[in-house]
Amino acid sequence: MAAVTDRRRPARASHRFMRGAARLLAAAGLAVNAYVHAHLAPTYDGVAASVSQGDLFRLEAALGALAALLVLVWRRLPADLFAFVVAAGGLALLLIYRYADIGQLGPFPDMYEPLWNGDKTVALVAQAVAVVSTVLLILTVRRRRPGHGRSPDVL
């Protein structure tokens, strides 16, 4: 029985290291994206319908900061799923409004911007890193075994 336990220990350690690295990358990507959106928000206050693009950028920044904090502190599947939704949603919207002029949608302004710039590229890379990292966290979650207390995926 001791041999089985000894063989599993390196696998658990590498699993924890990989999940820890993924957690740090996800949080970093979300934090960078939050910073970019918070920094750019005042620039886009003039693009408005019922809601301004600046307000939407502030919302994206707040959600990104919350997701970064949760993925570091809570370390549970719901936090990882929330972080994935924030990162993937932001990435999808960035690409949609870069390549498609869908116009104003209800209270949301026309946010079509067909040009790449440094801030947009940084946001794209940060969100992509967060998406890949959160997918890794979601796919490698360890399940609790009945009668064994806390889940071993907690770092």
Side-chain angles (χ1 to χ4, degrees):
M1 188 67 135
V4 171
T5 304
D6 291 340
R7 279 187 280 157
R8 288 185 184 168
R9 221 172 248 155
R12 285 185 189 149
S14 65
H15 182 263
R16 279 200 306 258
F17 176 79
M18 185 253 332
R19 286 183 55 80
R23 228 169 254 303
L24 289 174
L25 284 171
L30 289 159
V32 166
N33 183 58
Y35 170 78
V36 168
H37 279 82
H39 175 72
L40 291 176
T43 307
Y44 289 95
D45 281 335
V47 181
S50 295
V51 177
S52 78
Q53 188 172 348
D55 289 338
L56 293 173
F57 274 32
R58 287 180 190 88
L59 178 61
E60 173 72 15
L63 291 172
L66 176 62
L69 183 65
L70 286 176
V71 85
L72 285 175
V73 175
W74 195 21
R75 299 180 189 168
R76 298 286 187 269
L77 183 59
D80 299 341
L81 290 169
F82 177 71
F84 170 77
V85 168
V86 169
L91 180 61
L93 288 171
L94 185 149
L95 292 172
I96 287 169
Y97 283 111
R98 162 57 179 93
Y99 292 108
D101 187 0
I102 57 177
Q104 182 178 333
L105 289 174
F108 303 110
D110 181 1
M111 296 189 290
Y112 178 62
E113 189 174 44
L115 305 172
W116 283 108
N117 60 44
D119 290 327
K120 191 180 286 191
T121 302
V122 168
L124 174 86
V125 171
Q127 289 172 329
V129 166
V131 166
V132 170
S133 299
T134 55
V135 165
L136 184 65
L137 289 170
I138 292 164
L139 293 179
T140 61
V141 67
R142 285 197 170 172
R143 307 284 181 228
R144 287 185 192 180
R145 290 185 289 160
H148 285 84
R150 290 182 59 147
S151 174
D153 73 320
V154 176
L155 296 175

